[in-house]
C-alpha cells in the first residue's frame, strides 16, 4: 500500500509539473550571430512605471526575477525558465500568483578568463557601466510585454531578446578634469587578458600657470565613477525641475541641490585660499563588481598593488604629484570608507592619513549584524526552537526594510558563484580564498545562510582590519599614529556602525603609540554620514572633498618631513 501511494504521489507531482507554465527565452541572429555564455534573467512586474529590469531591489516594492546560467546559447535556441529555476522574492514560478504581468528577459553576457592560478572562469567583464546587469553594453534584452500568467495552467510563453544595450560614451577632458587609463601588467598577468586601470583627475586651480609646482595627492575612493563627481563649472538652471522626490531624505528637488553643491565646490576649488592639490577618483571595475576594494585578492588578483605601484605613480608622473607618502591621502565613504582605511593599513608608509566614512565592515565580528566567527547562521539568530530573521537594512528610526536573507537571495537569483555584481557577493569575492572551481569560496551557503568556519578564519587573518591592527600594532602602530579618522552615523542603514564601535574600543586603548586620530558618530544619521554634525546628511554626503582637504592641509603642516616641498603648491 505504501508503494502504491508513493507511485500515486509521484504521478500527481509529474502531472502538476506538466501543467505548469514555462518561459522560452531566446535571441535572434539579428541581435548577434555569436553563441553566448551568461545569465538569463526573466523579469515579471505588476506595473509598467519603468521596465521590469529597473524594478528589482531589496525594498518591499521589488518585482520578480528568475535566473539560469547558459553556456553557448545560440541564436534561435531557447533557454527554458520553469518552476525549478530559483527566483526572488518568490523562490519559484510556481509560487507566483495568477494575474497580469509585464514580462522581460535580459541576457547578462559572460566572458571566459583563463587565470594565472590555472582555473578557467566565466564572468561579466565591465563594459563601462560599473557592473550593472541591466545597463551593461552588449547585453541582450526584450521589450516588456503584457501577459496573463497562471501557475496552474500549462502554457509556453515565448520571450525574444531582440534588443542590444548600446555602448557608453567615454567622458571628455575639460580644463580641470582629466582622464587617464593604463594597462596593468600585474592584472593582465593574473586575468589572462588585457586589464586596465583608470582615473578621473581633478587638477588644482592654476595648474597650467604654475608649471614648477608639484602637488599632494588625494585618492577619493568610492563606487564606479562615470566621471569626476560633484564638480561643475556651471550652476544648475534657475528653472531646473524640482519635482523629483527622495523618500530617504523626505525632500523634493534633490537633483538641483546636488547640482548646486557641485557648482559651489567649483567656486571653492577656484577660490584664492583653497588648498592646491590633486584629487583622484579611481576606475577599477572588476569582473565581480564596480570596483576592486583596492586590495590584493585570491580570486580577483593584485588590484591593491596595481593601483599603488602602477596607476598612482603614473598619475603623479603625468600631473606633477609630489610622489611621496607624506603627501598622499585617502578618503571615501561606504565601500570607499573601507578602502580608505584598508589601503592605509596595508600600505602604511604610502599614505599620510585616511578619512573613512561609513566604512563597510571593518571587523567581521560585526559583519553588519553577523559575527562570522561565533554565529552559526547568517540569516537567522541561533536558536533551537524559532527562526528570528537577521535584519539587513533599516531607516534612521530602525524600521527594517529587508533581511540579510532577502538581500542574498536576490543576489543568488541574479548570479551564481558571486556573479551578481552586488554587495554581499563582492565582499565574498574580495575576502574569500579561491575555491577549487576558481570562484570565491562562499562564506555561507547562499540558500540557507550556514556559515563556513574555515572561510571565516581566512577572512580574519587577511581582511579583518580590526584583527590585523590588534595583531600587528607593535609594528603598524608607529606607522599609523595620527593617520586614522573614522566617521559613521549611529543609525547607519546597513548597521556598519557596529563594527566602528568595536574598532573605536581598540583604538582608544592603544599605547606605544596611541593612535592619535579621531572616531566620531552622527546622531540618528544614516549611511554616508562623513563627519559634519552641522549639516543634514543629504548635504554633508556631497561634501567629502571640501570637508577633508582642509584637514589634509593641517595634517601636512604638522607632519611633513624636514625639507619637504611645502611651497611650490601654495600659491
Amino acid at each position: 500500500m505504501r508503494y502504491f501511494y508513493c507511485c500515486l504521489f509521484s504521478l500527481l507531482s509529474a502531472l502538476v509539473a506538466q501543467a505548469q507554465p514555462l518561459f522560452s527565452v531566446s535571441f535572434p541572429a539579428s541581435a548577434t550571430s555569436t553563441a553566448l555564455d551568461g545569465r538569463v534573467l526573466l523579469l515579471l512586474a505588476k506595473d509598467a512605471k519603468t521596465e521590469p529590469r529597473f524594478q528589482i531591489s531589496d525594498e518591499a516594492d521589488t518585482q520578480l526575477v528568475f535566473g539560469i546560467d547558459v553556456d553557448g546559447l545560440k541564436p534561435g535556441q531557447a533557454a527554458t525558465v520553469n518552476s525549478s529555476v530559483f527566483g526572488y522574492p518568490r523562490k519559484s514560478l510556481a509560487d507566483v500568483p495568477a494575474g497580469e504581468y509585464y514580462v522581460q528577459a535580459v541576457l547578462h553576457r559572460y566572458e571566459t578568463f583563463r587565470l594565472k592560478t590555472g582555473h578557467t572562469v566565466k564572468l561579466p567583464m565591465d563594459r563601462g557601466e560599473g557592473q550593472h546587469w541591466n545597463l551593461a553594453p552588449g547585453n541582450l534584452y526584450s521589450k516588456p510585454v503584457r501577459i496573463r500568467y497562471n501557475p496552474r495552467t500549462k502554457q509556453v510563453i515565448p520571450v525574444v531578446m531582440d534588443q542590444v544595450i548600446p555602448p557608453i560614451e567615454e567622458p571628455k577632458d575639460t580644463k580641470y578634469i582629466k582622464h587617464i587609463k593604463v594597462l596593468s601588467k600585474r592584472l593582465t598577468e593574473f586575468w589572462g587578458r588585457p586589464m586596465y586601470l583608470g582615473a578621473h583627475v581633478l587638477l588644482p586651480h592654476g595648474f597650467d600657470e604654475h608649471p614648477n609646482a608639484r602637488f599632494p595627492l588625494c585618492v577619493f575612493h568610492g563606487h564606479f565613477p562615470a566621471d569626476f563627481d560633484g564638480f561643475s563649472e556651471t550652476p544648475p538652471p534657475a528653472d531646473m525641475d524640482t519635482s523629483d522626490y527622495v523618500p530617504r531624505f523626505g525632500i523634493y528637488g534633490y537633483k538641483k541641490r546636488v547640482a548646486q553643491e557641485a557648482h559651489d565646490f567649483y567656486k571653492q576649488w577656484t577660490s584664492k585660499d583653497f588648498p592646491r592639490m590633486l584629487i583622484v577618483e579611481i576606475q577599477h571595475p572588476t569582473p565581480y563588481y564596480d570596483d576592486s576594494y583596492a586590495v590584493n585578492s585570491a580570486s580577483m588578483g593584485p588590484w591593491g598593488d596595481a593601483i599603488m605601484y602602477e596607476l598612482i605613480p603614473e598619475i603623479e608622473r603625468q600631473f606633477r604629484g609630489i610622489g611621496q607618502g607624506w603627501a598622499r591621502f585617502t578618503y571615501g565613504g561606504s565601500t570607499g570608507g573601507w578602502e580608505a582605511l584598508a589601503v592605509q593599513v596595508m600600505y602604511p608608509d604610502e599614505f599620510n592619513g585616511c578619512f573613512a566614512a561609513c566604512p563597510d565592515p571593518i571587523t567581521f565580528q560585526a559583519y553588519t549584524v553577523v559575527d562570522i566567527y561565533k554565529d552559526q547562521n547568517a540569516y537567522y539568530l541561533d536558536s533551537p526552537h524559532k527562526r528570528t530573521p537577521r535584519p539587513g537594512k533599516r531607516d534612521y528610526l530602525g524600521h527594517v526594510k529587508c533581511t540579510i536573507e532577502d538581500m542574498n537571495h536576490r543576489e543568488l537569483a541574479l548570479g551564481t558563484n558571486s556573479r551578481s555584481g552586488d554587495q554581499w557577493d563582492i565582499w565574498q569575492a574580495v575576502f574569500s580564498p579561491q575555491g577549487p572551481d576558481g570562484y570565491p569560496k562562499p562564506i555561507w551557503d547562499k540558500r540557507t545562510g550556514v556559515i563556513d568556519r574555515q572561510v571565516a578564519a581566512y577572512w580574519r587573518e587577511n581582511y579583518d582590519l580590526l584583527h590585523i591592527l590588534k595583531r600587528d600594532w607593535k609594528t603598524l602602530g608607529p606607522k599609523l599614529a595620527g593617520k586614522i579618522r573614522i566617521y559613521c552615523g549611529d543609525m547607519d542603514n546597513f548597521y556598519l556602525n557596529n563594527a566602528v564601535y568595536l574598532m573605536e574600543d581598540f583604538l582608544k586603548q592603544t599605547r606605544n603609540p596611541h593612535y592619535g586620530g579621531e572616531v566620531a558618530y552622527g546622531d540618528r544619521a544614516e549611511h554616508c554620514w562623513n563627519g559634519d554634525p552641522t549639516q543634514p546628511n543629504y548635504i554633508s554626503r556631497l561634501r567629502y572633498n571640501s570637508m577633508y582637504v582642509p584637514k589634509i592641509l593641517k595634517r601636512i603642516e604638522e607632519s611633513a618631513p624636514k625639507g619637504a616641498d611645502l611651497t611650490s603648491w601654495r600659491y
Side-chain angles (χ1 to χ4, degrees):
M1 184 63 71
R2 178 180 298 174
Y3 175 76
F4 170 78
Y5 282 117
C6 287
C7 290
L8 180 61
F9 178 78
S10 298
L11 177 61
L12 291 173
S13 297
L15 291 173
V16 170
Q18 290 176 7
Q20 291 174 349
L22 60 84
F23 292 84
S24 176
V25 184
S26 64
F27 63 87
S30 59
T32 179
S33 60
T34 306
L36 299 177
D37 301 331
R39 182 81 168 172
V40 169
L41 300 169
L42 180 79
L43 307 136
L44 296 172
K46 292 296 290 182
D47 61 62
K49 61 183 181 181
T50 60
E51 294 180 42
R53 61 182 167 134
F54 300 125
Q55 295 194 57
I56 307 303
S57 73
D58 294 323
E59 304 297 323
D61 62 353
T62 185
Q63 300 302 303
L64 304 164
V65 58
F66 302 85
I68 57 169
D69 294 330
V70 293
D71 292 308
L73 188 68
K74 299 176 182 177
Q77 181 182 0
T80 299
V81 181
N82 57 27
S83 60
S84 67
V85 173
F86 185 83
Y88 163 86
R90 303 281 185 176
K91 302 299 184 294
S92 167
L93 281 167
D95 302 327
V96 175
E100 291 188 342
Y101 294 87
Y102 291 89
V103 63
Q104 186 177 36
V106 175
L107 175 54
H108 192 25
R109 298 173 64 165
Y110 291 169
E111 179 181 324
T112 297
F113 296 85
R114 292 173 177 82
L115 306 181
K116 181 182 179 181
T117 60
H119 300 93
T120 298
V121 294
K122 295 182 178 183
L123 294 162
M125 187 62 197
D126 184 81
R127 291 159 239 152
E129 86 290 351
Q131 279 295 1
H132 294 288
W133 58 269
N134 51 8
L135 295 172
N139 278 0
L140 309 185
Y141 69 102
S142 64
K143 293 181 179 180
V145 175
R146 193 173 185 178
I147 63 166
R148 181 80 187 174
Y149 178 80
N150 188 335
R152 294 181 177 83
T153 301
K154 182 179 180 181
Q155 60 183 141
V156 176
I157 304 170
V159 183
V160 179
M161 302 178 292
D162 56 0
Q163 307 294 304
V164 183
I165 299 176
I168 294 173
E169 187 177 351
E170 294 278 351
K172 294 180 173 58
D173 286 353
T174 68
K175 175 182 177 181
Y176 289 100
I177 298 173
K178 307 299 180 183
H179 306 90
I180 183 174
K181 183 175 288 186
V182 299
L183 177 67
S184 168
K185 180 180 178 181
R186 289 173 171 85
L187 295 174
T188 295
E189 182 180 357
F190 179 86
W191 286 99
R193 53 97 78 197
M195 297 291 284
Y196 293 85
L197 287 165
H200 311 310
V201 183
L202 179 62
L203 299 183
H205 184 59
F207 180 84
D208 292 328
E209 292 77 15
H210 295 80
N212 295 320
R214 303 185 71 83
F215 303 95
L217 178 75
C218 302
V219 179
F220 182 10
H221 279 295
H223 289 288
F224 182 89
D227 203 340
F228 194 93
D229 200 23
F231 183 91
S232 175
E233 296 182 47
T234 58
D239 60 351
M240 183 174 175
D241 179 25
T242 56
S243 63
D244 58 292
Y245 179 71
V246 180
R248 174 182 171 186
F249 304 132
I251 59 175
Y252 287 93
Y254 191 54
K255 291 180 181 178
K256 186 171 184 178
R257 290 174 185 260
V258 171
Q260 186 61 55
E261 284 289 326
H263 182 61
D264 290 346
F265 178 54
Y266 159 75
K267 291 190 292 184
Q268 274 189 299
W269 189 249
T270 57
S271 63
K272 180 180 178 181
D273 297 324
F274 200 80
R276 309 304 181 198
M277 300 182 184
L278 298 167
I279 300 182
V280 174
E281 291 187 353
I282 295 176
Q283 275 195 321
H284 46 127
T286 81
Y288 285 100
Y289 196 52
D290 66 15
D291 81 16
S292 69
Y293 274 69
V295 292
N296 298 339
S297 167
S299 295
M300 297 205 304
W303 290 91
D305 286 355
I307 293 169
M308 191 70 251
Y309 302 124
E310 293 179 281
L311 180 62
I312 288 179
E314 182 61 20
I315 292 170
E316 291 173 328
R317 185 191 68 80
Q318 286 196 33
F319 303 107
R320 305 200 309 267
I322 291 172
Q324 297 179 33
W326 67 265
R328 292 194 197 107
F329 295 82
T330 182
Y331 54 83
S334 193
T335 291
W338 191 92
E339 290 171 328
L341 182 58
V343 299
Q344 182 67 83
V345 170
M346 296 184 182
Y347 301 92
D349 296 320
E350 303 291 354
F351 295 95
N352 195 14
C354 72
F355 300 79
C358 51
D360 286 1
I362 52 180
T363 174
F364 307 134
Q365 291 175 261
Y367 187 49
T368 71
V369 296
V370 183
D371 183 338
I372 67 170
Y373 311 129
K374 294 181 180 179
D375 294 332
Q376 300 298 314
N377 192 289
Y379 298 163
Y380 298 93
L381 300 182
D382 297 338
S383 170
H385 302 299
K386 66 190 297 281
R387 286 164 67 85
T388 303
R390 297 185 192 272
K393 184 179 180 181
R394 63 181 174 181
D395 67 13
Y396 78 100
L397 293 175
H399 300 144
V400 175
K401 300 294 186 180
C402 62
T403 67
I404 293 180
E405 183 179 37
D406 292 334
M407 301 168 88
N408 278 265
H409 281 184
R410 177 181 58 80
E411 291 189 7
L412 181 57
L414 294 176
T416 56
N417 294 318
S418 292
R419 292 182 291 194
S420 71
D422 224 317
Q423 189 60 76
W424 299 88
D425 275 350
I426 184 55
W427 285 337
Q428 184 167 273
V430 175
F431 304 145
S432 285
Q434 192 177 46
D437 58 359
Y439 297 102
K441 290 190 72 173
I443 182 62
W444 56 62
D445 185 297
K446 202 77 168 175
R447 287 183 182 249
T448 67
V450 175
I451 296 170
D452 186 320
R453 283 282 178 273
Q454 290 185 330
V455 175
Y458 182 93
W459 283 32
R460 173 166 43 203
E461 292 307 311
N462 293 278
Y463 300 102
D464 187 318
L465 300 181
L466 174 57
H467 173 75
I468 292 169
L469 287 175
K470 285 182 175 181
R471 183 190 66 198
D472 301 335
W473 189 254
K474 183 176 180 180
T475 55
L476 280 177
K479 298 182 177 185
L480 295 177
K483 295 183 178 182
I484 296 176
R485 292 167 177 80
I486 307 173
Y487 311 100
C488 195
D490 64 12
M491 288 300 291
D492 186 275
N493 302 97
F494 305 101
Y495 305 88
L496 300 176
N497 50 304
N498 295 345
V500 176
Y501 296 144
L502 298 176
M503 178 66 80
E504 181 189 26
D505 290 343
F506 166 72
L507 292 174
K508 286 194 302 186
Q509 57 83 40
T510 52
R511 300 291 184 272
N512 300 318
H514 182 61
Y515 88 104
E518 179 184 21
V519 181
Y521 303 94
D523 180 38
R524 292 195 296 176
E526 294 185 301
H527 194 52
C528 293
W529 189 80
N530 54 11
D532 185 354
T534 69
Q535 295 292 333
N537 199 26
Y538 64 81
I539 294 296
S540 65
R541 68 194 296 271
L542 305 174
R543 296 181 176 177
Y544 280 84
N545 297 313
S546 57
M547 285 172 53
Y548 294 152
V549 167
K551 293 185 178 184
I552 286 169
L553 177 61
K554 185 173 185 292
R555 171 69 183 168
I556 288 176
E557 292 172 338
E558 295 171 347
S559 64
K562 186 177 180 180
D565 176 9
L566 299 179
T567 58
S568 74
W569 51 278
R570 300 293 297 278
Y571 50 79

